[in-house]
Amino acid sequence: MQKIAIIGLGLLGGSLGLALRGKEFVRLGWARRKETREEALRRGIVDESSENIEDIISQSDISILCLPIPRIIEFGEKYAAHFKKGSVVTDIGSVKGAITSPLEKALVLYGVFFIGSHPMAGTEKSGIEAAFSELYKGASVFITKTSQSSSAALETVKKFWQTINTRPVEIGVLEHDELVAHTSHLQHIAALAITEAVLDCDPDTLKLRYAGCAGGFKDTSRITSSSPQMWREIIEHNQPAVLESVKEFEKRWLNIIKIIENKDFDALYQEFAKGKKMRDEWLKSRGL
Amino acid sequence: MQKIAIIGLGLLGGSLGLALRGKEFVRLGWARRKETREEALRRGIVDESSENIEDIISQSDISILCLPIPRIIEFGEKYAAHFKKGSVVTDIGSVKGAITSPLEKALVLYGVFFIGSHPMAGTEKSGIEAAFSELYKGASVFITKTSQSSSAALETVKKFWQTINTRPVEIGVLEHDELVAHTSHLQHIAALAITEAVLDCDPDTLKLRYAGCAGGFKDTSRITSSSPQMWREIIEHNQPAVLESVKEFEKRWLNIIKIIENKDFDALYQEFAKGKKMRDEWLKSRGL
């Protein structure tokens, strides 16, 4: 049986361990906090754990860095010499450019292969207590390929993600970062602005606003309850692509506002109808 | 037992009928389409139905207009002479200014009391097939009071909504329209702009975008799947307040974008942390 290192046992790492239960891997887990490692063993998230990261990665055929973006980069470089020779290292980071270049460079020196991964899965919660086995079910997982990528390592990473019923999608690093700026990062900025526009007000107004907030507010703002540190890091490491997606949003926004200002409500109907059609088709493509 | 007229048996009217099942009312239902009336009887949404709207409203102590905004105004005026004398008419419309002034005027001539209602409940779906008994559970219901309002009628409407476990909140008409522009209408515009920014692109890009859309996109865009006609009408009848809420959003949005442009990621963290705190407190206030 292949050994797999899960480095970091939060929502992503913990859910990965749960999804891998009963699959053909020995799951070795590392987390900084002792309580987290104990919880991971107790819940059957990993088969073995150690406080010593080198112990784990030196015997693993695949290592998955389930850490915040800066820690993925830092750990990949710091422990480069300790991964098993010929093994494959991947990650779950939401940006790929900032992670892939330094880690490819650092690991190749030791005969270790790096292939970036980004599973499109998550919730607004974080920590091992939020982990659940179905988190990844049916999710797309972007697997980033560069001119340096080993085809065998790419295949290994792809197969790994298929094991837990996700849908691997090969993509270039830059293309990935532009894509997720549009489909994910932009939404976090919009949700934040929505939340502030509604809830950042004087206490009397706030009381009424609370009464006026229902399902529409709840869902459009949900991801504002995500980890502020994580989202700061994601946007920090993808700033240019995020600003491109912002322009794309502003173009659409300003067009809609202009229509409303002009009281051209037939045109407004057309925009709403177009948006509904596009979203309903996306839902349909997902079988939702 | 009091008789209650549910005029319009879509998502809102149908769910109201279901919520009222077993309460102390005889539920009389009207819908334009015969199939809808039959479906309402079959599912136990109403006790009796008729194609003749006058039949129903002339014998009802409370009439609830569960129709699109223009139909609420039109029907209220058209059938003003047919409501039972001394009865109370209310509605479920998402704006109150455009509805309250004409209907107060029209109904007072016939000794009928109008009190506007707006339950903060709904989904992106519509039609009787989407109706369910729990739609209103725990929802706030705004009850609009004007200088013309009868205290007794206001009390009747308040008690009515309490019967189905909602939380009535008295509010002025203008105050209501400004409030929901912020807590609900704004979100529909933002969700539309998000949807267009992500999905309005060439077919090759779209295929990738589909793969890149996960929970964040799904929830921030959910209400884009709502009825385009309904949202056109809501914004059409609340344009000035909507444009105010738009300004509120733009102020927050531009501030966040400037922070990202300036690469001031400590400040970005602070914004995300503030947003999370505000939303988590709102969630907590709802026991969520």
Side-chain angles (χ1 to χ4, degrees):
Chain A
M1 287 230 279
Q2 282 199 312
K3 287 188 177 172
I4 192 151
I6 304 176
I7 306 302
L9 296 165
L11 172 66
L12 275 285
S15 297
L16 189 58
L18 288 170
L20 286 166
R21 192 150 51 174
K23 308 287 181 191
E24 292 179 6
F25 293 108
V26 179
R27 299 159 304 162
L28 312 180
W30 176 89
R32 190 173 47 79
R33 293 172 63 239
K34 192 184 171 195
E35 297 74 27
T36 307
R37 296 194 301 273
E38 287 174 350
E39 171 78 359
L41 288 170
R42 194 163 43 237
R43 284 182 61 191
I45 286 172
V46 295
D47 300 303
E48 297 169 31
S49 84
S50 169
E51 61 176 331
N52 186 331
I53 204 168
E54 293 98 324
D55 258 8
I56 287 185
I57 60 176
S58 63
Q59 52 177 311
S60 292
D61 304 289
I62 305 175
S63 293
I64 308 179
L65 308 177
C66 303
L67 299 164
I69 295 166
R71 295 294 88 66
I72 293 173
I73 302 168
E74 183 191 326
F75 276 43
E77 290 182 327
K78 184 172 172 188
Y79 297 107
H82 299 275
F83 291 99
K84 183 178 172 180
K85 205 175 169 180
S87 74
V88 177
V89 176
T90 189
D91 72 308
I92 51 76
S94 298
V95 300
K96 298 268 67 81
I99 290 172
T100 305
S101 337
L103 294 204
E104 267 190 347
K105 254 181 235 147
L107 296 174
V108 73
L109 302 171
Y110 300 96
V112 175
F113 303 101
F114 180 79
I115 300 286
S117 303
H118 179 202
M120 295 307 297
T123 74
E124 73 278 24
K125 307 208 171 72
S126 46
I128 194 166
E129 56 281 5
F132 61 104
S133 63
E134 304 280 279
L135 177 66
Y136 295 100
K137 200 181 167 187
S140 300
V141 180
F142 291 111
I143 318 253
T144 49
K145 195 177 173 173
T146 73
S147 56
Q148 317 294 311
S149 297
S150 138
S151 306
L154 195 84
E155 222 31 56
T156 300
V157 171
K158 218 164 158 178
K159 274 194 190 145
F160 166 75
W161 286 110
Q162 281 167 337
T163 311
I164 58 164
N165 300 314
T166 61
R167 302 183 293 186
V169 178
E170 276 181 43
I171 191 170
V173 167
L174 277 177
E175 204 181 358
H176 167 274
D177 287 357
E178 280 169 23
L179 177 63
V180 295
H182 281 80
T183 62
S184 168
H185 306 176
L186 168 65
Q187 284 69 23
H188 282 262
I189 300 168
L192 176 59
I194 287 172
T195 303
E196 290 184 349
V198 178
L199 299 182
D200 193 6
C201 55
D202 66 85
D204 284 349
T205 308
L206 187 63
K207 211 181 148 190
L208 268 179
R209 293 267 172 96
Y210 270 20
C213 285
F217 173 76
K218 189 182 173 197
D219 285 356
T220 52
S221 71
R222 179 182 60 83
I223 50 180
T224 311
S225 289
S226 305
S227 158
Q229 181 61 23
M230 185 172 93
W231 280 95
R232 171 233 162 105
E233 289 166 0
I234 290 172
I235 290 173
E236 183 172 1
H237 288 87
N238 201 26
Q239 194 245 21
V242 166
L243 290 177
E244 282 306 309
S245 74
V246 159
K247 278 186 211 155
E248 202 63 42
F249 174 87
E250 286 177 349
K251 197 170 77 183
R252 312 311 186 139
W253 171 268
L254 292 174
N255 177 50
I256 300 164
I257 302 312
K258 202 177 150 195
I259 288 172
I260 298 174
E261 282 172 344
N262 293 342
K263 302 189 179 187
D264 186 355
F265 298 112
D266 288 340
L268 184 62
Y269 169 81
Q270 293 302 335
E271 291 295 322
F272 275 127
K274 183 172 83 172
K276 177 178 170 56
K277 186 164 178 279
M278 291 189 303
R279 186 175 183 277
D280 288 354
E281 276 168 13
W282 168 73
L283 275 181
K284 208 174 143 194
S285 80
R286 287 292 167 93
L288 296 169
Chain B
M1 286 227 283
Q2 282 199 310
K3 287 189 179 173
I4 191 150
I6 306 176
I7 305 302
L9 296 165
L11 172 66
L12 277 285
S15 298
L16 188 58
L18 289 170
L20 285 167
R21 190 150 54 173
K23 308 289 180 190
E24 293 180 6
F25 293 107
V26 179
R27 300 161 302 163
L28 312 181
W30 176 89
R32 188 174 46 80
R33 293 171 63 240
K34 192 184 171 197
E35 296 75 27
T36 307
R37 296 194 301 271
E38 287 175 351
E39 170 78 1
L41 288 170
R42 196 163 43 236
R43 284 181 61 191
I45 287 172
V46 295
D47 300 302
E48 298 169 30
S49 85
S50 168
E51 60 177 331
N52 187 330
I53 205 167
E54 293 98 324
D55 258 9
I56 288 186
I57 60 176
S58 63
Q59 53 177 311
S60 292
D61 305 289
I62 306 176
S63 293
I64 308 179
L65 308 177
C66 303
L67 299 163
I69 295 166
R71 295 293 89 67
I72 292 174
I73 303 168
E74 182 192 325
F75 277 42
E77 291 181 328
K78 185 172 172 188
Y79 297 107
H82 298 275
F83 290 99
K84 182 176 171 181
K85 203 172 170 181
S87 75
V88 177
V89 176
T90 188
D91 72 310
I92 50 74
S94 298
V95 301
K96 298 269 69 80
I99 291 173
T100 305
S101 339
L103 294 205
E104 266 189 349
K105 253 180 240 149
L107 296 175
V108 74
L109 302 173
Y110 300 96
V112 175
F113 303 102
F114 180 79
I115 300 285
S117 303
H118 178 202
M120 296 308 297
T123 74
E124 74 278 26
K125 307 210 172 71
S126 47
I128 195 167
E129 57 281 6
F132 61 104
S133 63
E134 303 279 279
L135 177 67
Y136 295 99
K137 199 181 167 187
S140 300
V141 180
F142 291 110
I143 318 255
T144 49
K145 194 177 174 173
T146 73
S147 56
Q148 317 295 312
S149 298
S150 137
S151 305
L154 195 84
E155 219 35 54
T156 301
V157 171
K158 217 165 159 178
K159 272 194 191 145
F160 166 74
W161 286 110
Q162 281 167 338
T163 312
I164 59 164
N165 300 312
T166 60
R167 300 184 294 185
V169 178
E170 275 182 44
I171 191 170
V173 167
L174 276 177
E175 203 181 1
H176 167 274
D177 287 357
E178 280 169 24
L179 176 63
V180 295
H182 281 81
T183 62
S184 167
H185 306 175
L186 169 65
Q187 285 69 23
H188 282 261
I189 300 169
L192 175 59
I194 287 172
T195 302
E196 291 185 347
V198 177
L199 298 182
D200 193 5
C201 55
D202 66 84
D204 284 348
T205 307
L206 187 62
K207 212 181 145 187
L208 268 177
R209 293 266 173 95
Y210 270 20
C213 285
F217 172 75
K218 189 182 173 197
D219 284 356
T220 52
S221 70
R222 178 180 62 80
I223 51 180
T224 311
S225 289
S226 306
S227 158
Q229 181 60 24
M230 183 170 98
W231 280 95
R232 170 233 162 104
E233 289 165 0
I234 290 172
I235 291 173
E236 183 173 359
H237 289 88
N238 201 25
Q239 193 243 24
V242 165
L243 289 177
E244 282 307 309
S245 75
V246 159
K247 278 186 210 153
E248 203 62 44
F249 174 87
E250 286 178 348
K251 197 169 78 181
R252 314 311 185 137
W253 171 268
L254 292 173
N255 176 49
I256 300 165
I257 301 311
K258 201 176 151 197
I259 288 172
I260 298 174
E261 282 172 344
N262 293 342
K263 301 190 179 187
D264 186 355
F265 298 111
D266 287 339
L268 184 61
Y269 168 81
Q270 294 302 334
E271 292 295 322
F272 275 126
K274 183 172 84 174
K276 176 178 171 55
K277 185 165 177 280
M278 292 188 303
R279 186 176 184 277
D280 288 353
E281 275 167 13
W282 170 73
L283 275 181
K284 208 175 142 190
S285 80
R286 287 293 167 95
L288 296 169

